[in-house]
Amino acid sequence: MPNIMVSLPQQPESNFSRAVFKVIRPHIPRERWPVDAVLARFEGGGDGLWLNADFDSFSGPYAAVARQLVREAGVDLVLKSPLASAAAAVVRTKRWRDVGLYAFLPLMFAIPLMAVLSDTAMRFAVFFFCLDTASLIAFQAILVRKRALLATERFIAYIPAPGLKIHLGGKSDRSSSIDLMPEV
């Protein structure tokens, strides 16, 4: 059974929901927004550098625009999402894999060059080449596993609609007037 991330939905008051709102609000006319918060499902992109989104509350073309805007927002939204740690793990592993990849060709070409110098130098070059190849294979396998885990993680967020009053304070005083709550 795959490891699926289960988290509570991001409420309209959350930093992530407000960040998504700031990204998509200028591009979707106010009359196309629903009265209540917009339900959206998110999942991480393959490299961990963007989010894939699905907006059910918008009509077809506006959902496509919102989906594209979330994808273009990239790392800014990923860092505020619940997937930030999984995405960071993918990026870190990819960087280590790239280190092995960048060392692969120079080490491969160093073998015949070191053979000219001495037999011992060539053996060291072959040893480092084999070590780099093994690390490259290991980091690629780890990267594939972490990308698969990122692809299985999904979460839901309620994006505030324009004019929706949300509670940003830390206290929950029910006796306060609704006019004191900030409007998005």
Side-chain angles (χ1 to χ4, degrees):
M1 184 171 165
N3 182 13
I4 297 176
M5 178 181 170
V6 178
S7 66
L8 295 174
Q10 299 288 308
Q11 296 302 317
E13 300 87 13
S14 72
N15 289 333
F16 176 75
S17 295
R18 288 186 288 146
V20 172
F21 174 79
K22 288 177 185 175
V23 167
I24 64 177
R25 170 61 185 107
H27 303 282
I28 297 177
R30 187 176 179 126
E31 63 270 5
R32 297 296 180 185
W33 285 76
V35 176
D36 294 330
V38 175
L39 175 67
R41 287 185 295 279
F42 295 90
E43 61 185 39
D47 283 339
L49 300 176
W50 71 86
L51 293 172
N52 294 322
D54 186 23
F55 293 89
D56 292 335
S57 301
F58 291 131
S59 60
Y62 293 108
V65 167
R67 185 178 311 114
Q68 185 63 30
L69 290 169
V70 166
R71 186 177 174 109
E72 288 174 1
V75 175
D76 296 333
L77 285 181
V78 172
L79 291 175
K80 294 180 181 179
S81 75
L83 301 179
S85 62
V90 168
V91 171
R92 272 192 310 272
T93 305
K94 185 178 177 196
R95 285 184 182 161
W96 279 110
R97 190 266 329 251
D98 290 346
V99 167
L101 190 62
Y102 294 141
F104 184 79
L105 281 177
L107 287 172
M108 185 174 70
F109 287 117
I111 295 171
L113 295 174
M114 293 297 145
V116 173
L117 294 176
S118 72
D119 191 40
T120 306
M122 184 191 73
R123 289 179 193 213
F124 277 117
V126 168
F127 172 74
F128 285 125
F129 176 74
C130 292
L131 187 66
D132 180 63
T133 304
S135 69
L136 185 60
I137 291 169
F139 277 115
Q140 182 63 32
I142 293 168
L143 180 62
V144 167
R145 191 183 87 237
K146 288 187 178 185
R147 280 182 176 167
L149 287 174
L150 181 64
T152 61
E153 294 183 0
R154 293 170 174 77
F155 68 97
I156 295 172
Y158 292 100
I159 312 304
L164 179 69
K165 297 197 186 237
I166 59 175
H167 181 66
L168 297 176
K171 60 182 181 178
S172 61
D173 185 16
R174 299 285 182 200
S175 64
S176 66
S177 171
I178 196 162
D179 294 331
L180 298 177
M181 291 185 191
E183 187 173 299
V184 179

